[in-house]
Amino acid sequence: MRVVRKAVCPGSFDPVTNGHIDIVSRASVLFDEVVVAVGLNQSKSRARLFTPQERMEMLEKACAPFPNVTVAGFDGLLTSFCQEHGIHAIVKGLRAVSDFDYELQMAQMNSSLADVETVFIPTSPENSFLASSLVKEVATFGGDVSGLVPHDVLTRLTQRLAERAAEGEERRS
Ligand code: PNS
C-alpha cells in the first residue's frame, strides 16, 4: 500500500506573505498533502490585525494554485492537530540563524510530545527579511509592501490599516 506523505505548515499568518507562500509551494512538491494550519490560540501579547477567518480566507486564495494544499485552523497544541490528522511532518521556513534557536527548541518539544519530525526549508534569499510583523509596520507608516504580499492581502491590509487609523482619529477627537 502506498503511504501518503502528509505535512503541516503551521503559523499565525497575520497576514500571509510571499515568504510563507514560497515555503508552502516548496512543501507541496515534497509532500503528497500539505495542510496550512492557522494557529487560533489567543495571544495577549500580540494583538492580531486580522481575525482567524480572514487569515484563513487570504490563505485559501493564495494557496489555490496548489491542488494538494488545504487550509485549516487549529486551537491548542500543534502536535494534537498532527495526531488528529495523521500528520508526522511539520514544515517550517528558516530565514536566518536567529530563527534557529527557537525553532530548534519547538521542534524538539514537538517531537517529545508526538511522533512528528520538523523539516526546515531555507527561505529563498529574496524573502529572508520578510515577516508579517514587519510588513504590518511598514504598511502602517505608508511604506510600499506591494512586492511582499499577495495582491488580495495588500488590498485587505490597506483597508484594515485605514479603518484602524480612522478609529484612532475618532478616539482622539
Ligand atoms: O507564525 P508564528 O507566530 O511563528 O507561528 C507559531 C505557531 C502557531 C506555529 C506556534 O506558536 C504553535 O505551534 N502554536 C501552537 C501551540 C503549541 O503547540 N505550542 C507548543 C510549541 S512547542
Side-chain angles (χ1 to χ4, degrees):
M1 195 182 71
R2 188 172 169 278
V3 175
V4 176
R5 294 165 309 154
K6 288 190 196 178
V8 62
C9 290
S12 308
F13 304 106
D14 185 45
V16 58
T17 68
N18 291 347
H20 294 128
I21 299 305
D22 172 49
I23 298 298
V24 170
S25 96
R26 289 157 66 197
S28 76
V29 176
L30 296 173
F31 293 91
D32 298 314
E33 291 176 17
V34 174
V35 183
V36 180
V38 180
L40 308 179
N41 293 343
Q42 290 294 346
S43 165
K44 284 183 189 144
S45 56
R46 293 168 63 199
R48 302 285 181 219
L49 188 59
F50 293 100
T51 65
Q53 184 61 37
E54 289 169 331
R55 286 183 266 147
M56 288 173 66
E57 282 168 12
M58 287 184 274
L59 273 165
E60 267 156 18
K61 210 162 191 178
C63 294
F66 315 112
N68 60 339
V69 175
T70 54
V71 177
F74 77 100
D75 252 328
L77 287 176
L78 177 59
T79 48
S80 305
F81 179 85
C82 290
Q83 286 167 325
E84 282 156 25
H85 292 81
I87 293 173
H88 298 281
I90 298 170
V91 171
K92 291 288 193 86
L94 271 190
R95 286 169 297 201
V97 180
S98 50
D99 280 345
F100 186 71
D101 276 352
Y102 186 49
E103 289 297 346
L104 177 66
Q105 198 180 7
M106 282 203 284
Q108 290 170 332
M109 175 61 86
N110 283 330
S111 76
S112 81
L113 294 171
D115 180 17
V116 291
E117 291 289 354
T118 298
V119 178
F120 293 118
I121 297 184
T123 299
S124 299
E126 65 269 26
N127 296 323
S128 64
F129 61 93
L130 203 40
S132 300
S133 54
L134 271 186
V135 165
K136 287 184 282 191
E137 184 169 328
V138 170
T140 300
F141 296 109
D144 180 8
V145 295
S146 58
L148 309 180
V149 293
H151 185 70
D152 163 63
V153 174
L154 182 67
T155 307
R156 288 182 186 238
L157 186 58
T158 309
Q159 195 177 334
R160 179 57 42 85
L161 291 174
E163 286 164 11
R164 288 284 166 96
E167 284 163 18
E169 284 293 319
E170 221 166 80
R171 266 198 301 275
R172 278 190 292 275
S173 63

